[in-house]
Amino acid sequence: MTKIGIGIIGGGYMGKAHAVAMLSVGAIFNTSLRPHLEMVAATSIETAENYRQAYGFARATDDWRTLINDPAVEAVIIATPQNTHREMAEAALKLGKPVLCEKPIADSLEDARAMVDMAEAAGVANMMGFNYIRTPASQYARQLLAEGAIGQVTWFRGEHAEDFQADPNLPHNWRCSGIANGNMGDLAPHPINAALALMGPIEKVMADVECVHKERPGGTVTNDDHAQIMCRFANGVMGHIYSSRLATGRKMGYAYEIHGTKGAIAFDQEDQNALFLYRAEGPEAERGFKKILAGPAHPDYLPFCQGPGHGTGYQDTVIIEAKDFLEAIATGKAIWPTFRDGLAVAEVVDAVHKSSETGRWVSVVQV
Amino acid sequence: MTKIGIGIIGGGYMGKAHAVAMLSVGAIFNTSLRPHLEMVAATSIETAENYRQAYGFARATDDWRTLINDPAVEAVIIATPQNTHREMAEAALKLGKPVLCEKPIADSLEDARAMVDMAEAAGVANMMGFNYIRTPASQYARQLLAEGAIGQVTWFRGEHAEDFQADPNLPHNWRCSGIANGNMGDLAPHPINAALALMGPIEKVMADVECVHKERPGGTVTNDDHAQIMCRFANGVMGHIYSSRLATGRKMGYAYEIHGTKGAIAFDQEDQNALFLYRAEGPEAERGFKKILAGPAHPDYLPFCQGPGHGTGYQDTVIIEAKDFLEAIATGKAIWPTFRDGLAVAEVVDAVHKSSETGRWVSVVQV
Amino acid sequence: MTKIGIGIIGGGYMGKAHAVAMLSVGAIFNTSLRPHLEMVAATSIETAENYRQAYGFARATDDWRTLINDPAVEAVIIATPQNTHREMAEAALKLGKPVLCEKPIADSLEDARAMVDMAEAAGVANMMGFNYIRTPASQYARQLLAEGAIGQVTWFRGEHAEDFQADPNLPHNWRCSGIANGNMGDLAPHPINAALALMGPIEKVMADVECVHKERPGGTVTNDDHAQIMCRFANGVMGHIYSSRLATGRKMGYAYEIHGTKGAIAFDQEDQNALFLYRAEGPEAERGFKKILAGPAHPDYLPFCQGPGHGTGYQDTVIIEAKDFLEAIATGKAIWPTFRDGLAVAEVVDAVHKSSETGRWVSVVQV
Amino acid sequence: MTKIGIGIIGGGYMGKAHAVAMLSVGAIFNTSLRPHLEMVAATSIETAENYRQAYGFARATDDWRTLINDPAVEAVIIATPQNTHREMAEAALKLGKPVLCEKPIADSLEDARAMVDMAEAAGVANMMGFNYIRTPASQYARQLLAEGAIGQVTWFRGEHAEDFQADPNLPHNWRCSGIANGNMGDLAPHPINAALALMGPIEKVMADVECVHKERPGGTVTNDDHAQIMCRFANGVMGHIYSSRLATGRKMGYAYEIHGTKGAIAFDQEDQNALFLYRAEGPEAERGFKKILAGPAHPDYLPFCQGPGHGTGYQDTVIIEAKDFLEAIATGKAIWPTFRDGLAVAEVVDAVHKSSETGRWVSVVQV
């Protein structure tokens, strides 16, 4: 086992999750690389110091460049807003340091492409923080689809629906401006990433992006609240993706339902330890959706618990991500989702905006 | 109580359901009009006679005009393919006889409009057989929406997904040709009707209609297998409707989910006695979707059973329909859904085809 | 097809259900015997006349003996309180008329046994009105168990939980006195009947019967509110049965869960069209409870609807019962559950009371 | 923040879970005491060394006394079979070191009582490892019950059902002998602890304890497979507890359902992030069980995630336990469940065995 110094830029929601993940991933997965919380960076030294103490980092800084340049920091996690991702990733990659970057990849397609180019030129581990898809249940769904368990797929429906902006009386806040803070920047990348992971590339989209609550106490909202996307995948399959921050009652509506000629798969992250599988086989009288509880027979479950159905949670998906990141570093092999996969999501997001503006089908350009 | 002679044209799936409904509706709802199964018509006299005996009609005929013209037949139920609806309805309405007509209303918008005109000119009871929306749960959902229980609605998603054509090896059959026998003719009218009932008129649609299994053993399929529709309602709300006969595992996926600023409603007819309601009120810690079991407090439930949660079934929705038809006849008041409501569905279906062909948003023209 | 005159004694909750069933059973199941609602009896002529008009009987009477003795009444349905069952059944059986009797069979074991003896001596169709067990899902569960689908059974848990007396402020009413109106008389027979149907005879019981709300506005409650029963079946399997009228939130909690060495079965009548089946076979990763929707592949479903998952309801279970009663009459064969099966339930109820009084295990004596 | 050296005896299933918990609890809960994995003990030095490396302990030993006596070990976690608990706890408590002990507390009531006496005399933090009850959902259920949210409770049903010994062909293994390794020693303490936590003390029990699969390939089974317990709580409420290792299909069937005069609560750990709550208030038409997703408004959720419904998992319950243990140490206040609470469970288990042997109700003696 080898120690590896971790630097995390940002210590909020996701920064904390990554810190916790790095503290426990070694013991859980018996990883060959053992992370050490070397340094945390925040926008002020007071905040950074608070993070340091709370999460147990060795050092704190208010300058992310200091963190990246520190020789003890051997891998960098970027958990800051996406308009900062490019230059941070660039700085780390130039030094040959592996980077785990929160989603979405960047503010613009141009930045996203630049990041992919740099990462691939650097030849070091680069990964996007799409942790939702890493539940044992969703990993198993991917595996089933890859094996053709449900035959030829004929329909995909995905969504990510939450309700944190559903109340029109909620005052104007940071989520209400900046395209990246809107639904398409914040939530939509999750189900789009799920769609790509489960179904492969998207060929074209026809979308409707809307801001429903345009005025809030304290200001005008300048980004979108929810969006729906009709799509066709490269394999010809018809699909639909919906993302919303207005979906009253939905707290973690990261869900999908996929039908094929021989079966169907359904998942809803509000009950993240269950996968629903239907196989069109055996006597009609016995057919039905099976509720499969995640257990040791499913990917990445056993290290958390020997008992099936005992369940993993949100934080565990970040720990699984940490394990993969460490493995990518240790083995030198790219592990999904890389920056290139983050770019693929960004390309869909871009096409969605264009489609909604023109009211036309728009091809997803992959460069 | 007054006896009323009923004639039913067609004795298959729906003809039987209507016959059974007419036999029991009086006892269940204590209706003022008491139906008598006067005559059944089928395409051959043997079939008609079989229906007569099986369901208990007084007489049988192989000529639907005989049925309509018979003085003892005081109300007519049309349960035949939609290409026959117009002339049958015309014949009955000319004689001033009330008509209950199975969905979809007709083969073409022209026929549908003609039927509406005739029915309204005749001034007699005319009704479409959209029975799914008549479950106590869905009636209650309509009532909640009408009362504004979930505030300003922001999103509607409806679907009707079944899997009877999901197997690509299923031989070519009568469902595989004729636009009316395809998914858009057969299944889509149900969720479109639900959308109109719950949300009001649809302003425009953007659709993707597809035949996935184009070749089947025995022939080429010339109508559609599934379709998705993005829409905007006249009230501005964004919506999505999906209908499919390929949805492996789904047997009665007549479902909807509606979000508003103050709550949400969800329903799936595979568990037709439950309605899910979320109200964004009270302490956060206690919020959640309520599973409300249909009971005597909900529309049209009590006549079936005094015990809540004891449940109604498919046949009961047709009995509720029969009750409403009899009431429309007895009171002379139009009861939803009339032919005009059937036309509204047909107008959406028409716009969907146009949109899918052109890849553009298409306005739903209401004449 | 032969007409058969039906007389129903009692026109309340169950009397109505039987009348409706007799009106539609012929058309639904294409029965050889076709019921005619000949006469209804009630305690006053006004009430009887109301029932007659509402349900469509030919005649009404306030004297049940008149009904039984009427030559046009060829089969008798007893839907009155159980203290009247014995003499009514006796009168009908003496005339060789088939009897369908509501549950529970009688007020005392002595009466129940007398009824069984009379019925078996008369050699005519005799049946108990346990309609809940006749859902297609529960019939299928019985079939699966009979086939050994879940291997050697190791545990049975059944319950019937409703909440109609849960509020302690509910005034004293007819349910509050008379052992037959208590939970053990009214509700418990249902899950006990289910236990016998699914598992076979019960050998011994250890029970706790309780009246929780002893005082209600207007009077003292002298029967029980809820009861739990530990039992051992004749096949040695351990079981538990709970019945309650205090189970706040439960509306139709007629439910069971059965585990065996090779699988498990679960059912809850609040979603009566689903049966949950687990088979301990195939790869671990794919195991889970299947939610099987009732459909044409299950017993007695198809006559109600050709579409799977479209659902049957409460009234339909009474119609299925009517079909079986008519078949028992037509064929002369005893169809489960006969009076003897009703007696078996009464014997368990009797042992339960004895056990609760003594705090000891009590054998179920079968005479 | 103060560092505290942790020693863990045992590194298997639970030992690992505690090690992981101690690694991350500080960062998650921002605890004042910050654990350091000082030493791990196992039965051989090789095993201990493996644990040390895998989980990141500073040192390893094959002598648990060495661990307890080591001055750097300031708190001890006992994760070994229960026949070892007493002497280990004794050794640690004598040195005034806090002890977190896995369930069940000990092999005998005598040992359990001795442990309680020692712990209370020592006056240091002592805690039992009942982690299941620490999900945010179950903590919230306890809170609701304590507040009287469902009125006067009338019924409690709890169970813990798994299926790891359901296959009769599973060879004889360590679980098949030793009363502590049987269902009553291993599984039953969980639902009994839940019953006590939610309902208060149990007054008397009437139980049926059984070994179903008495012979397995390789040997005779000498402990129990499943058991059911009828009970009366000290508050007079009737209850039932079932525990089983034969419950085919159930993977984490730690579940309870509680009815009261004003509402009901239901929980099943197979979907551990949901609590079902029914309140008998508001219009009948709107009543139903609410599915409440655990979120920041519920106990101990927020430190894991800011998003409601995002979910916690099995490992997180052990982390919550670690937080409470550290807090008990830091504050000197006893935090539930202490050794005394572990004894209360053991007293019920003891009474259950006595009742099953005698077939009589047995009082739970609390000394």
Side-chain angles (χ1 to χ4, degrees), chain B residues 292-358:
Chain B
I292 301 171
L293 296 177
H298 302 113
D300 287 335
Y301 180 96
L302 183 56
F304 291 97
C305 186
Q306 293 174 32
H310 287 46
T312 56
Y314 170 80
Q315 177 67 54
D316 299 333
T317 59
V318 186
I319 295 171
I320 294 170
E321 186 171 275
K323 180 261 298 175
D324 283 348
F325 182 50
L326 294 176
E327 195 177 317
I329 297 171
T331 63
K333 285 189 201 154
I335 294 188
W336 184 93
T338 62
F339 282 10
R340 184 161 287 280
D341 300 300
L343 170 61
V345 171
E347 286 166 338
V348 174
V349 169
D350 186 69
V352 163
H353 283 299
K354 286 193 180 118
S355 170
S356 185
E357 282 154 21
T358 60

Side-chain angles (χ1 to χ4, degrees), chain C residues 298-314:
Chain C
H298 302 113
D300 286 336
Y301 180 96
L302 183 56
F304 291 97
C305 186
Q306 293 174 32
H310 287 47
T312 57
Y314 170 81

